Amino acid sequence: MRVTFEDVKKNKAVQTYIRMADESLHAMGYTEHGFAHVERVAETAREILLTLGYSEREAELASIAGYLHDIGNVVNREGHAQSGAVMAFRILDDMGADPEDTATIITAIGNHDESAAFPVNPIAAALLIADKSDVRNSRVRNTDISSFDIHDRVNYAVKENKLKITKDSHIELKLKIDKSMCAVMDYFEIFLQRMILCRKSAEVLGLEFWLMINKQRVI
């Protein structure tokens, strides 16, 4: 059966797992990982593949993986990529999804967390770039600036975020950062491994990854 992105979005269990996973992370002090994040990741992953000429179905599988990628946080933050992949398998299997589609989706989910990530295929690569590039001040939930940790400070400092594929085969993440809130080195302290994954993922897609901060290329 051809399970669509809309089918997955409408699934009550999926909605519950996304909501409750984000509630758990909120309680632990993490930035937003709810519907705003997963919808953005799903759309970005889809657009990356469509821009590069992949099929509509491959792009849809990337969007499904993006929408489901963080449901494992409802179990625990530790190992959430792997637990999320197992949960996604059960959901998709119950929905009657084609086994090859299911395998592609859960492979991407299981390889998205930087502790054990690898862009094993284009869908996984698109998911990694989409997920790791979602840095923005609206993800910060702490309203007390004086108590910000480094993750709050770095996300809050990002005033503009644009990801685009250029005509000369680069994929560029362009950030405008308020340096009074966060030094560039603060960004690298928590995001260097993620940017390395973006570079590896871009290579899988036949691209070169560039990180631009305040109009200067830093990677």
Side-chain angles (χ1 to χ4, degrees), residues 123-165:
I123 282 80
L127 171 58
L128 276 166
I129 294 172
D131 182 36
K132 306 314 174 191
S133 65
D134 187 19
V135 189
R136 50 189 163 83
N137 54 24
S138 57
R139 293 190 72 182
V140 178
R141 294 188 274 213
N142 185 356
T143 58
D144 181 8
I145 294 178
S146 65
S147 67
F148 276 6
D149 64 13
I150 189 170
H151 290 84
D152 291 334
R153 194 164 66 250
V154 168
N155 279 277
Y156 194 79
V158 176
K159 303 304 180 185
E160 292 181 14
N161 177 323
K162 294 181 181 179
L163 183 73
K164 74 170 187 176
I165 297 173

mmCIF file of all heavy atoms in Angstrom, residues 123-165:
data_model
loop_
_atom_site.group_PDB
_atom_site.id
_atom_site.type_symbol
_atom_site.label_atom_id
_atom_site.label_comp_id
_atom_site.label_asym_id
_atom_site.label_seq_id
_atom_site.Cartn_x
_atom_site.Cartn_y
_atom_site.Cartn_z
ATOM 1 N N ILE A 123 17.577 9.810 1.080
ATOM 2 C CA ILE A 123 16.509 10.188 2.003
ATOM 3 C C ILE A 123 17.098 10.502 3.372
ATOM 4 O O ILE A 123 16.747 11.512 4.005
ATOM 5 C CB ILE A 123 15.430 9.083 2.089
ATOM 6 C CG1 ILE A 123 14.497 9.131 0.869
ATOM 7 C CG2 ILE A 123 14.573 9.249 3.335
ATOM 8 C CD1 ILE A 123 15.016 8.517 -0.373
ATOM 9 N N ALA A 124 18.019 9.669 3.830
ATOM 10 C CA ALA A 124 18.687 9.917 5.106
ATOM 11 C C ALA A 124 19.501 11.200 5.053
ATOM 12 O O ALA A 124 19.533 11.976 6.020
ATOM 13 C CB ALA A 124 19.584 8.735 5.471
ATOM 14 N N ALA A 125 20.162 11.445 3.924
ATOM 15 C CA ALA A 125 20.966 12.657 3.773
ATOM 16 C C ALA A 125 20.095 13.906 3.828
ATOM 17 O O ALA A 125 20.434 14.894 4.500
ATOM 18 C CB ALA A 125 21.744 12.605 2.453
ATOM 19 N N ALA A 126 18.966 13.873 3.135
ATOM 20 C CA ALA A 126 18.062 15.025 3.142
ATOM 21 C C ALA A 126 17.499 15.270 4.536
ATOM 22 O O ALA A 126 17.373 16.423 4.981
ATOM 23 C CB ALA A 126 16.932 14.799 2.139
ATOM 24 N N LEU A 127 17.154 14.193 5.242
ATOM 25 C CA LEU A 127 16.651 14.330 6.606
ATOM 26 C C LEU A 127 17.703 14.939 7.516
ATOM 27 O O LEU A 127 17.402 15.840 8.308
ATOM 28 C CB LEU A 127 16.213 12.964 7.150
ATOM 29 C CG LEU A 127 15.866 12.907 8.651
ATOM 30 C CD1 LEU A 127 14.748 13.875 9.003
ATOM 31 C CD2 LEU A 127 15.506 11.484 9.064
ATOM 32 N N LEU A 128 18.936 14.476 7.429
ATOM 33 C CA LEU A 128 19.996 15.007 8.282
ATOM 34 C C LEU A 128 20.196 16.502 8.065
ATOM 35 O O LEU A 128 20.287 17.274 9.027
ATOM 36 C CB LEU A 128 21.306 14.248 8.012
ATOM 37 C CG LEU A 128 21.489 12.934 8.771
ATOM 38 C CD1 LEU A 128 22.621 12.124 8.175
ATOM 39 C CD2 LEU A 128 21.755 13.220 10.244
ATOM 40 N N ILE A 129 20.276 16.907 6.816
ATOM 41 C CA ILE A 129 20.479 18.335 6.536
ATOM 42 C C ILE A 129 19.297 19.153 7.040
ATOM 43 O O ILE A 129 19.461 20.207 7.669
ATOM 44 C CB ILE A 129 20.699 18.571 5.033
ATOM 45 C CG1 ILE A 129 22.019 17.936 4.585
ATOM 46 C CG2 ILE A 129 20.697 20.069 4.714
ATOM 47 C CD1 ILE A 129 22.235 17.943 3.080
ATOM 48 N N ALA A 130 18.090 18.676 6.778
ATOM 49 C CA ALA A 130 16.891 19.406 7.197
ATOM 50 C C ALA A 130 16.815 19.533 8.714
ATOM 51 O O ALA A 130 16.477 20.599 9.244
ATOM 52 C CB ALA A 130 15.648 18.698 6.659
ATOM 53 N N ASP A 131 17.135 18.463 9.408
ATOM 54 C CA ASP A 131 17.055 18.462 10.874
ATOM 55 C C ASP A 131 18.146 19.332 11.487
ATOM 56 O O ASP A 131 17.864 20.187 12.342
ATOM 57 C CB ASP A 131 17.184 17.025 11.380
ATOM 58 C CG ASP A 131 17.068 16.916 12.892
ATOM 59 O OD1 ASP A 131 16.277 17.682 13.496
ATOM 60 O OD2 ASP A 131 17.756 16.062 13.475
ATOM 61 N N LYS A 132 19.388 19.147 11.071
ATOM 62 C CA LYS A 132 20.506 19.851 11.702
ATOM 63 C C LYS A 132 20.555 21.330 11.344
ATOM 64 O O LYS A 132 21.210 22.114 12.022
ATOM 65 C CB LYS A 132 21.835 19.180 11.332
ATOM 66 C CG LYS A 132 21.906 17.690 11.615
ATOM 67 C CD LYS A 132 21.368 17.309 12.991
ATOM 68 C CE LYS A 132 21.314 15.807 13.177
ATOM 69 N NZ LYS A 132 20.559 15.402 14.386
ATOM 70 N N SER A 133 19.866 21.716 10.291
ATOM 71 C CA SER A 133 19.861 23.128 9.893
ATOM 72 C C SER A 133 18.737 23.929 10.546
ATOM 73 O O SER A 133 18.662 25.146 10.380
ATOM 74 C CB SER A 133 19.752 23.259 8.372
ATOM 75 O OG SER A 133 18.500 22.770 7.902
ATOM 76 N N ASP A 134 17.863 23.261 11.300
ATOM 77 C CA ASP A 134 16.731 23.963 11.917
ATOM 78 C C ASP A 134 17.167 24.636 13.221
ATOM 79 O O ASP A 134 16.899 24.154 14.314
ATOM 80 C CB ASP A 134 15.570 23.001 12.171
ATOM 81 C CG ASP A 134 14.314 23.733 12.664
ATOM 82 O OD1 ASP A 134 14.237 24.971 12.466
ATOM 83 O OD2 ASP A 134 13.426 23.077 13.246
ATOM 84 N N VAL A 135 17.850 25.747 13.052
ATOM 85 C CA VAL A 135 18.310 26.564 14.183
ATOM 86 C C VAL A 135 17.577 27.895 14.087
ATOM 87 O O VAL A 135 17.696 28.594 13.084
ATOM 88 C CB VAL A 135 19.836 26.802 14.116
ATOM 89 C CG1 VAL A 135 20.344 27.451 15.400
ATOM 90 C CG2 VAL A 135 20.580 25.526 13.810
ATOM 91 N N ARG A 136 16.819 28.251 15.107
ATOM 92 C CA ARG A 136 16.034 29.493 15.055
ATOM 93 C C ARG A 136 15.609 29.891 16.462
ATOM 94 O O ARG A 136 15.454 29.054 17.351
ATOM 95 C CB ARG A 136 14.809 29.327 14.160
ATOM 96 C CG ARG A 136 13.988 28.106 14.464
ATOM 97 C CD ARG A 136 12.891 27.838 13.439
ATOM 98 N NE ARG A 136 12.415 26.481 13.549
ATOM 99 C CZ ARG A 136 11.494 26.074 14.431
ATOM 100 N NH1 ARG A 136 10.937 26.958 15.255
ATOM 101 N NH2 ARG A 136 11.117 24.810 14.485
ATOM 102 N N ASN A 137 15.397 31.189 16.626
ATOM 103 C CA ASN A 137 15.090 31.697 17.975
ATOM 104 C C ASN A 137 13.713 31.264 18.464
ATOM 105 O O ASN A 137 13.479 31.186 19.676
ATOM 106 C CB ASN A 137 15.245 33.219 18.049
ATOM 107 C CG ASN A 137 14.450 33.960 16.996
ATOM 108 O OD1 ASN A 137 13.458 33.462 16.481
ATOM 109 N ND2 ASN A 137 14.896 35.164 16.662
ATOM 110 N N SER A 138 12.803 30.916 17.559
ATOM 111 C CA SER A 138 11.469 30.509 17.989
ATOM 112 C C SER A 138 11.452 29.115 18.625
ATOM 113 O O SER A 138 10.435 28.720 19.203
ATOM 114 C CB SER A 138 10.486 30.556 16.813
ATOM 115 O OG SER A 138 10.934 29.744 15.745
ATOM 116 N N ARG A 139 12.568 28.404 18.553
ATOM 117 C CA ARG A 139 12.631 27.097 19.211
ATOM 118 C C ARG A 139 12.936 27.224 20.711
ATOM 119 O O ARG A 139 12.783 26.254 21.447
ATOM 120 C CB ARG A 139 13.696 26.207 18.551
ATOM 121 C CG ARG A 139 13.366 25.798 17.131
ATOM 122 C CD ARG A 139 14.320 24.744 16.612
ATOM 123 N NE ARG A 139 14.090 23.453 17.252
ATOM 124 C CZ ARG A 139 14.810 22.368 17.004
ATOM 125 N NH1 ARG A 139 15.821 22.429 16.154
ATOM 126 N NH2 ARG A 139 14.544 21.230 17.617
ATOM 127 N N VAL A 140 13.357 28.407 21.133
ATOM 128 C CA VAL A 140 13.704 28.603 22.542
ATOM 129 C C VAL A 140 12.430 28.815 23.353
ATOM 130 O O VAL A 140 11.633 29.703 23.054
ATOM 131 C CB VAL A 140 14.643 29.814 22.721
ATOM 132 C CG1 VAL A 140 14.965 30.029 24.197
ATOM 133 C CG2 VAL A 140 15.921 29.603 21.918
ATOM 134 N N ARG A 141 12.241 28.021 24.398
ATOM 135 C CA ARG A 141 11.031 28.113 25.220
ATOM 136 C C ARG A 141 11.281 28.818 26.546
ATOM 137 O O ARG A 141 10.346 29.262 27.201
ATOM 138 C CB ARG A 141 10.454 26.716 25.450
ATOM 139 C CG ARG A 141 9.942 26.084 24.182
ATOM 140 C CD ARG A 141 9.192 24.800 24.441
ATOM 141 N NE ARG A 141 10.072 23.658 24.499
ATOM 142 C CZ ARG A 141 9.720 22.439 24.084
ATOM 143 N NH1 ARG A 141 8.529 22.236 23.579
ATOM 144 N NH2 ARG A 141 10.559 21.434 24.180
ATOM 145 N N ASN A 142 12.516 28.897 26.934
ATOM 146 C CA ASN A 142 12.861 29.570 28.179
ATOM 147 C C ASN A 142 12.659 31.072 28.001
ATOM 148 O O ASN A 142 13.237 31.683 27.106
ATOM 149 C CB ASN A 142 14.321 29.268 28.536
ATOM 150 C CG ASN A 142 14.738 29.839 29.873
ATOM 151 O OD1 ASN A 142 13.964 30.532 30.539
ATOM 152 N ND2 ASN A 142 15.969 29.568 30.275
ATOM 153 N N THR A 143 11.840 31.685 28.819
ATOM 154 C CA THR A 143 11.564 33.122 28.692
ATOM 155 C C THR A 143 12.488 33.977 29.551
ATOM 156 O O THR A 143 12.429 35.210 29.485
ATOM 157 C CB THR A 143 10.101 33.418 29.077
ATOM 158 O OG1 THR A 143 9.869 32.976 30.420
ATOM 159 C CG2 THR A 143 9.139 32.719 28.126
ATOM 160 N N ASP A 144 13.333 33.345 30.343
ATOM 161 C CA ASP A 144 14.253 34.068 31.223
ATOM 162 C C ASP A 144 15.645 34.058 30.602
ATOM 163 O O ASP A 144 16.397 33.096 30.741
ATOM 164 C CB ASP A 144 14.277 33.413 32.611
ATOM 165 C CG ASP A 144 15.204 34.130 33.587
ATOM 166 O OD1 ASP A 144 15.709 35.221 33.241
ATOM 167 O OD2 ASP A 144 15.422 33.584 34.687
ATOM 168 N N ILE A 145 15.992 35.153 29.903
ATOM 169 C CA ILE A 145 17.266 35.210 29.196
ATOM 170 C C ILE A 145 18.445 35.019 30.143
ATOM 171 O O ILE A 145 19.459 34.403 29.781
ATOM 172 C CB ILE A 145 17.399 36.553 28.436
ATOM 173 C CG1 ILE A 145 16.350 36.620 27.316
ATOM 174 C CG2 ILE A 145 18.797 36.728 27.859
ATOM 175 C CD1 ILE A 145 16.360 37.917 26.541
ATOM 176 N N SER A 146 18.314 35.491 31.362
ATOM 177 C CA SER A 146 19.422 35.391 32.321
ATOM 178 C C SER A 146 19.759 33.945 32.675
ATOM 179 O O SER A 146 20.862 33.659 33.136
ATOM 180 C CB SER A 146 19.098 36.174 33.597
ATOM 181 O OG SER A 146 17.998 35.593 34.278
ATOM 182 N N SER A 147 18.830 33.033 32.436
ATOM 183 C CA SER A 147 19.062 31.625 32.780
ATOM 184 C C SER A 147 19.332 30.757 31.551
ATOM 185 O O SER A 147 19.350 29.532 31.649
ATOM 186 C CB SER A 147 17.871 31.062 33.562
ATOM 187 O OG SER A 147 16.720 30.990 32.740
ATOM 188 N N PHE A 148 19.541 31.380 30.385
ATOM 189 C CA PHE A 148 19.794 30.621 29.161
ATOM 190 C C PHE A 148 21.025 29.728 29.313
ATOM 191 O O PHE A 148 22.066 30.169 29.821
ATOM 192 C CB PHE A 148 20.048 31.567 27.985
ATOM 193 C CG PHE A 148 18.823 32.073 27.295
ATOM 194 C CD1 PHE A 148 17.557 31.800 27.779
ATOM 195 C CD2 PHE A 148 18.928 32.855 26.154
ATOM 196 C CE1 PHE A 148 16.418 32.282 27.136
ATOM 197 C CE2 PHE A 148 17.812 33.334 25.504
ATOM 198 C CZ PHE A 148 16.559 33.046 26.001
ATOM 199 N N ASP A 149 20.915 28.473 28.834
ATOM 200 C CA ASP A 149 22.109 27.661 28.665
ATOM 201 C C ASP A 149 22.634 27.914 27.250
ATOM 202 O O ASP A 149 22.078 28.720 26.493
ATOM 203 C CB ASP A 149 21.822 26.179 28.925
ATOM 204 C CG ASP A 149 20.842 25.570 27.930
ATOM 205 O OD1 ASP A 149 20.543 26.190 26.890
ATOM 206 O OD2 ASP A 149 20.367 24.443 28.193
ATOM 207 N N ILE A 150 23.697 27.221 26.863
ATOM 208 C CA ILE A 150 24.323 27.514 25.574
ATOM 209 C C ILE A 150 23.390 27.193 24.403
ATOM 210 O O ILE A 150 23.371 27.889 23.395
ATOM 211 C CB ILE A 150 25.672 26.780 25.429
ATOM 212 C CG1 ILE A 150 26.408 27.277 24.169
ATOM 213 C CG2 ILE A 150 25.488 25.269 25.427
ATOM 214 C CD1 ILE A 150 27.836 26.794 24.076
ATOM 215 N N HIS A 151 22.554 26.136 24.537
ATOM 216 C CA HIS A 151 21.619 25.803 23.461
ATOM 217 C C HIS A 151 20.574 26.898 23.287
ATOM 218 O O HIS A 151 20.250 27.284 22.155
ATOM 219 C CB HIS A 151 20.941 24.467 23.754
ATOM 220 C CG HIS A 151 21.852 23.292 23.651
ATOM 221 N ND1 HIS A 151 22.655 22.900 24.696
ATOM 222 C CD2 HIS A 151 22.112 22.428 22.626
ATOM 223 C CE1 HIS A 151 23.361 21.841 24.316
ATOM 224 N NE2 HIS A 151 23.060 21.543 23.086
ATOM 225 N N ASP A 152 20.045 27.410 24.396
ATOM 226 C CA ASP A 152 19.097 28.520 24.332
ATOM 227 C C ASP A 152 19.759 29.735 23.695
ATOM 228 O O ASP A 152 19.183 30.386 22.812
ATOM 229 C CB ASP A 152 18.606 28.895 25.730
ATOM 230 C CG ASP A 152 17.712 27.859 26.371
ATOM 231 O OD1 ASP A 152 17.062 27.096 25.634
ATOM 232 O OD2 ASP A 152 17.652 27.814 27.610
ATOM 233 N N ARG A 153 20.966 30.031 24.140
ATOM 234 C CA ARG A 153 21.652 31.236 23.681
ATOM 235 C C ARG A 153 21.945 31.186 22.185
ATOM 236 O O ARG A 153 21.716 32.171 21.464
ATOM 237 C CB ARG A 153 22.948 31.401 24.479
ATOM 238 C CG ARG A 153 23.598 32.769 24.349
ATOM 239 C CD ARG A 153 24.632 33.002 25.431
ATOM 240 N NE ARG A 153 25.778 32.106 25.317
ATOM 241 C CZ ARG A 153 26.041 31.124 26.170
ATOM 242 N NH1 ARG A 153 25.242 30.915 27.201
ATOM 243 N NH2 ARG A 153 27.104 30.361 26.010
ATOM 244 N N VAL A 154 22.415 30.044 21.720
ATOM 245 C CA VAL A 154 22.759 29.919 20.304
ATOM 246 C C VAL A 154 21.509 30.000 19.430
ATOM 247 O O VAL A 154 21.483 30.711 18.421
ATOM 248 C CB VAL A 154 23.521 28.606 20.053
ATOM 249 C CG1 VAL A 154 23.620 28.321 18.558
ATOM 250 C CG2 VAL A 154 24.913 28.676 20.663
ATOM 251 N N ASN A 155 20.455 29.273 19.795
ATOM 252 C CA ASN A 155 19.223 29.330 19.008
ATOM 253 C C ASN A 155 18.593 30.716 19.045
ATOM 254 O O ASN A 155 18.116 31.218 18.021
ATOM 255 C CB ASN A 155 18.224 28.283 19.510
ATOM 256 C CG ASN A 155 18.487 26.894 18.984
ATOM 257 O OD1 ASN A 155 18.080 26.547 17.878
ATOM 258 N ND2 ASN A 155 19.202 26.090 19.769
ATOM 259 N N TYR A 156 18.591 31.336 20.211
ATOM 260 C CA TYR A 156 17.966 32.642 20.356
ATOM 261 C C TYR A 156 18.708 33.712 19.548
ATOM 262 O O TYR A 156 18.111 34.681 19.085
ATOM 263 C CB TYR A 156 17.938 33.041 21.833
ATOM 264 C CG TYR A 156 17.025 34.206 22.141
ATOM 265 C CD1 TYR A 156 15.650 34.031 22.252
ATOM 266 C CD2 TYR A 156 17.537 35.486 22.332
ATOM 267 C CE1 TYR A 156 14.811 35.096 22.533
ATOM 268 C CE2 TYR A 156 16.705 36.561 22.618
ATOM 269 C CZ TYR A 156 15.344 36.358 22.718
ATOM 270 O OH TYR A 156 14.514 37.419 23.000
ATOM 271 N N ALA A 157 20.015 33.512 19.381
ATOM 272 C CA ALA A 157 20.832 34.489 18.662
ATOM 273 C C ALA A 157 20.585 34.482 17.163
ATOM 274 O O ALA A 157 20.929 35.434 16.467
ATOM 275 C CB ALA A 157 22.311 34.232 18.940
ATOM 276 N N VAL A 158 19.986 33.400 16.638
ATOM 277 C CA VAL A 158 19.772 33.288 15.194
ATOM 278 C C VAL A 158 18.557 34.124 14.787
ATOM 279 O O VAL A 158 17.422 33.810 15.118
ATOM 280 C CB VAL A 158 19.584 31.819 14.776
ATOM 281 C CG1 VAL A 158 19.273 31.727 13.279
ATOM 282 C CG2 VAL A 158 20.834 31.008 15.107
ATOM 283 N N LYS A 159 18.821 35.164 14.035
ATOM 284 C CA LYS A 159 17.759 36.079 13.606
ATOM 285 C C LYS A 159 17.229 35.744 12.218
ATOM 286 O O LYS A 159 16.090 36.067 11.886
ATOM 287 C CB LYS A 159 18.276 37.528 13.623
ATOM 288 C CG LYS A 159 18.806 37.971 14.982
ATOM 289 C CD LYS A 159 17.766 37.793 16.077
ATOM 290 C CE LYS A 159 18.282 38.221 17.442
ATOM 291 N NZ LYS A 159 17.294 37.932 18.520
ATOM 292 N N GLU A 160 18.062 35.120 11.403
ATOM 293 C CA GLU A 160 17.637 34.696 10.066
ATOM 294 C C GLU A 160 18.276 33.352 9.757
ATOM 295 O O GLU A 160 19.430 33.101 10.124
ATOM 296 C CB GLU A 160 18.046 35.708 8.989
ATOM 297 C CG GLU A 160 17.329 37.037 9.068
ATOM 298 C CD GLU A 160 17.753 37.994 7.961
ATOM 299 O OE1 GLU A 160 18.392 37.536 6.987
ATOM 300 O OE2 GLU A 160 17.462 39.192 8.078
ATOM 301 N N ASN A 161 17.516 32.492 9.063
ATOM 302 C CA ASN A 161 18.002 31.165 8.690
ATOM 303 C C ASN A 161 17.472 30.854 7.300
ATOM 304 O O ASN A 161 16.260 30.805 7.086
ATOM 305 C CB ASN A 161 17.511 30.116 9.707
ATOM 306 C CG ASN A 161 17.922 28.696 9.354
ATOM 307 O OD1 ASN A 161 17.946 28.306 8.198
ATOM 308 N ND2 ASN A 161 18.217 27.899 10.366
ATOM 309 N N LYS A 162 18.383 30.650 6.355
ATOM 310 C CA LYS A 162 17.980 30.310 4.993
ATOM 311 C C LYS A 162 18.838 29.158 4.494
ATOM 312 O O LYS A 162 20.056 29.185 4.626
ATOM 313 C CB LYS A 162 18.146 31.516 4.056
ATOM 314 C CG LYS A 162 17.214 32.679 4.377
ATOM 315 C CD LYS A 162 17.421 33.829 3.400
ATOM 316 C CE LYS A 162 16.505 35.005 3.721
ATOM 317 N NZ LYS A 162 16.713 36.139 2.789
ATOM 318 N N LEU A 163 18.181 28.152 3.940
ATOM 319 C CA LEU A 163 18.869 27.005 3.363
ATOM 320 C C LEU A 163 18.498 26.945 1.890
ATOM 321 O O LEU A 163 17.318 26.901 1.547
ATOM 322 C CB LEU A 163 18.441 25.720 4.073
ATOM 323 C CG LEU A 163 19.135 24.431 3.628
ATOM 324 C CD1 LEU A 163 20.577 24.399 4.126
ATOM 325 C CD2 LEU A 163 18.379 23.204 4.138
ATOM 326 N N LYS A 164 19.494 26.936 1.029
ATOM 327 C CA LYS A 164 19.177 26.874 -0.403
ATOM 328 C C LYS A 164 20.269 26.148 -1.165
ATOM 329 O O LYS A 164 21.434 26.100 -0.750
ATOM 330 C CB LYS A 164 18.966 28.274 -0.976
ATOM 331 C CG LYS A 164 20.231 29.079 -1.171
ATOM 332 C CD LYS A 164 19.917 30.351 -1.967
ATOM 333 C CE LYS A 164 21.193 31.102 -2.340
ATOM 334 N NZ LYS A 164 20.913 32.283 -3.187
ATOM 335 N N ILE A 165 19.859 25.581 -2.286
ATOM 336 C CA ILE A 165 20.783 24.909 -3.193
ATOM 337 C C ILE A 165 21.086 25.874 -4.323
ATOM 338 O O ILE A 165 20.175 26.383 -4.981
ATOM 339 C CB ILE A 165 20.181 23.608 -3.724
ATOM 340 C CG1 ILE A 165 19.947 22.626 -2.570
ATOM 341 C CG2 ILE A 165 21.101 22.978 -4.774
ATOM 342 C CD1 ILE A 165 19.200 21.369 -2.969
#
